[in-house]
Amino acid sequence: MNQIRITQQLNAHQQEQVAHLFYEAFPLKVSHLWFYAKTKKQAVQLLSQSIQFEQGIYALRNEEVVGFLGYNIGKEAFTPANYVAFRNVYSPFVATWRFLCYAFYLKFHLYHEQVLHIDPIAVSEDARGHGIGKLLLSKLEQVAINKQITTINLEVVDTNPSAQKLYERFGYMLQKELKSGPFTAMAGFKKVMFMQKCLDNTNSSIQSE
């Protein structure tokens, strides 16, 4: 496998690749929970205009995006509720109700200024099994420490046990479980696990580049 490069800087073409990978990694959530986009074209257009790329970490292989991790800090979100983006994709009425639904969802995923929240993390299907998730998580810890943040939160759903095992190996501890049942069944899951890691500046799992 070609060498993976972790970066926080993307060109316009790579930003478009992130939007495509976002949809491909979470098609059910994009369609039934987050943006209510009914086609990939709508979703990619909306994501391209909404994502705050400076709040992401990206894995490149031959300059192609093969993984990314977005994070929220306080009210600053990786994919904020952007009415203009919704309006550019949908008619006024449809844009308004979809924007309000996503804004309501997002309220529960914005936290304290001193807590960094992962939302989301994705690796392309043909690049899985090569440690890209670990590289992204390691870089995130460096970002958190540089911002003097020592707590990282994330959520993982019941249909993704491999991701939960990765987080556990990386030092994340289960805090609580929430049965979401019929509210999220269409999005492909029925339970959410909330996990957290507290960083020790003198004993972090990251390695300096």
Side-chain angles (χ1 to χ4, degrees):
M1 183 177 179
N2 296 317
Q3 186 175 4
I4 299 296
R5 180 168 69 90
I6 303 299
T7 183
Q8 292 180 270
Q9 304 293 326
L10 299 178
N11 59 38
H13 179 61
Q14 291 165 338
Q15 290 179 355
E16 187 78 9
Q17 291 176 345
V18 171
H20 280 271
L21 179 55
F22 195 123
Y23 176 81
E24 291 165 1
F26 309 104
L28 293 178
K29 290 182 179 179
V30 169
S31 299
H32 300 289
L33 183 63
W34 292 336
F35 307 114
Y36 299 93
K38 298 306 179 183
T39 68
K40 180 177 179 178
K41 181 179 179 180
Q42 288 180 336
V44 170
Q45 183 181 355
L46 197 154
L47 286 164
S48 296
Q49 297 178 47
S50 297
I51 292 173
Q52 302 300 297
F53 291 97
E54 69 276 9
Q55 287 188 211
I57 300 168
Y58 309 95
L60 304 183
R61 181 180 62 190
N62 296 330
E63 298 307 303
E64 177 185 359
V65 178
V66 293
F68 72 90
L69 182 156
Y71 59 87
N72 304 341
I73 301 177
K75 295 181 179 180
E76 300 297 322
F78 179 66
T79 49
N82 182 345
Y83 179 74
V84 173
F86 278 87
R87 183 63 186 88
N88 288 339
V89 176
Y90 304 113
S91 65
F93 174 75
V94 174
T96 298
W97 77 257
R98 292 185 180 186
F99 165 78
L100 291 175
C101 287
Y102 181 61
F104 179 76
Y105 164 85
L106 199 62
K107 281 185 61 178
F108 298 96
H109 296 77
L110 298 177
Y111 295 91
H112 192 276
E113 293 289 343
Q114 292 303 310
V115 174
L116 191 152
H117 184 80
I118 298 173
D119 187 28
I121 181 171
V123 177
S124 63
E125 188 173 354
D126 66 349
R128 293 171 188 169
H130 297 280
I132 292 176
K134 294 179 181 178
L135 293 173
L136 293 170
L137 290 169
S138 293
K139 180 63 176 179
L140 181 71
E141 292 189 12
Q142 180 180 326
V143 170
I145 289 173
N146 289 344
K147 294 179 177 293
Q148 299 184 322
I149 293 174
T150 59
T151 302
I152 303 177
N153 288 346
L154 61 84
E155 298 163 18
V156 60
V157 298
D158 56 346
T159 52
N160 197 358
S162 60
Q164 183 176 354
K165 291 179 180 178
L166 168 65
Y167 301 141
E168 289 172 346
R169 290 196 300 271
F170 219 75
Y172 287 82
M173 304 293 292
L174 180 65
Q175 300 296 305
K176 63 179 180 179
E177 297 182 2
L178 174 65
K179 293 182 178 180
S180 51
F183 297 104
T184 58
M186 292 290 291
F189 63 96
K190 295 183 178 180
K191 185 167 64 173
V192 181
M193 276 67 71
F194 295 83
M195 305 183 75
Q196 185 178 89
K197 182 173 183 177
C198 295
L199 302 179
D200 180 348
N201 290 357
T202 63
N203 187 30
S204 173
S205 61
I206 66 171
Q207 296 181 351
S208 301
E209 294 185 339

